[in-house]
Amino acid sequence: RCPRAWFLDREAHASAATSSSQGLGSVVHALAEAVATGELPADLDVLEARLADIWPALPFDARWQADREWAEARRLLRRFVQWHDRDEREVLGVEVDFTVEHSADVVLRGRADRLERDADGRVVVVDLKTGRTVPTDRDVPREPQLGVYQLAVRDGAFADRHPGPPGGAELVQLRREVRGAVKVQSQPAMTTGDEWCADLVATTATAIRDERFDARPNDGCDRCPFRGSCPAHPSGGQVVS
């Protein structure tokens, strides 16, 4: 989405220390993994009890912040349990690492929160989101993260363990509800002739090889931690690119 932000975050390691919200997200992901693997039941009381054991270890600056995030954590877990109970697809794996050769000089590497198989035998990648930022529904069909997950499936990233064509991908927005249920944003299944994401990967790879990390305005600019020094943002307008 923004080469400059990517470079500062991933290559220059200029991001701030982990926040309490990020710690909360990690805990919710860990509990969701325990449910999917059968280590814990999909029971809200059990999950809240485990959360209470972990809670004192999370870094909060003030008691009111800890209380506010505790209430939010309980809401996230409730929505996850509701979604998990309604999910009718077969769970193939959770926190699944992958590395796959996409082209002669591009390798896709990452981790899928959850792999599932639908009724047609297709592999669906599910990403559990605990942050406040949510893409617009109109952008989801070409949301880059979901697209790369599907591209990895198509390239055979999971073929040795979970073969099958891509069956779409989903963002499960645990902080949001729609008509009493967790908000799920689905990307349609990638077809054989659907090359928008492959084109995006090729363009990104070229920029990295050429060491071009331009600031690219997008709808996340106002939340970017590097906006104060960004020539494409009003708060960093005095900076010369």
Side-chain angles (χ1 to χ4, degrees):
R1 301 181 70 192
C2 178
R4 180 181 186 273
W6 174 85
F7 174 80
L8 291 174
D9 181 34
R10 301 298 295 274
E11 298 299 298
H13 303 291
S15 293
T18 300
S19 68
S20 58
S21 294
Q22 291 172 312
L24 169 60
S26 297
V27 170
V28 171
H29 273 80
L31 293 174
E33 179 182 1
V35 169
T37 59
E39 179 184 343
L40 292 175
D43 183 288
L44 188 57
D45 291 337
V46 173
L47 295 178
E48 286 187 359
R50 183 62 63 90
L51 181 67
D53 292 337
I54 301 170
W55 202 251
L58 295 183
F60 293 105
D61 295 330
R63 177 60 183 270
W64 65 265
Q65 186 185 42
D67 292 343
R68 182 191 65 188
E69 290 294 273
W70 170 259
E72 185 64 27
R74 293 180 65 193
R75 286 192 288 268
L76 264 62
L77 289 176
R78 174 179 56 80
R79 293 180 189 125
F80 167 75
V81 169
Q82 290 176 343
W83 171 80
H84 177 83
D85 287 343
R86 295 173 184 174
D87 187 18
E88 298 179 350
R89 294 186 296 254
E90 175 191 2
V91 179
L92 300 175
V94 291
E95 299 297 332
V96 183
D97 293 317
F98 65 87
T99 300
V100 63
E101 185 176 305
H102 170 67
S103 63
D105 60 350
V106 174
V107 172
L108 302 179
R109 181 180 295 110
R111 174 179 294 177
D113 283 352
R114 188 161 165 141
L115 282 183
E116 301 184 346
R117 191 184 305 282
D118 67 11
D120 297 320
R122 303 177 304 179
V123 177
V124 180
V125 183
V126 178
D127 195 54
L128 301 177
K129 292 295 188 184
T130 59
R132 293 178 173 84
T133 304
V134 178
T136 63
D137 291 341
R138 68 175 180 273
D139 291 335
V140 173
R142 293 205 170 190
E143 203 282 328
Q145 180 184 7
L146 297 184
V148 172
Y149 281 142
Q150 291 210 69
L151 198 61
V153 173
R154 196 172 77 179
D155 289 341
F158 312 104
D160 58 335
R161 295 163 289 176
H162 312 297
E170 292 181 349
L171 299 173
V172 178
Q173 302 289 354
L174 294 175
R175 285 188 185 259
R176 301 291 183 93
E177 286 188 1
V178 177
R179 293 186 290 277
V182 66
K183 181 179 179 64
V184 178
Q185 296 179 295
S186 300
Q187 185 175 89
M190 183 176 288
T191 61
T192 302
D194 198 353
E195 297 301 324
W196 68 268
C197 192
D199 293 341
L200 176 62
V201 168
T203 300
T204 302
T206 298
I208 293 173
R209 281 195 298 267
D210 294 346
E211 298 186 347
R212 295 199 321 269
F213 305 112
D214 300 326
R216 183 181 300 160
N218 60 77
D219 58 8
C221 287
D222 288 339
R223 298 178 298 274
C224 177
F226 312 114
R227 61 187 181 278
S229 63
C230 180
H233 193 273
S235 63
Q238 75 279 5
V239 179
V240 178
S241 63

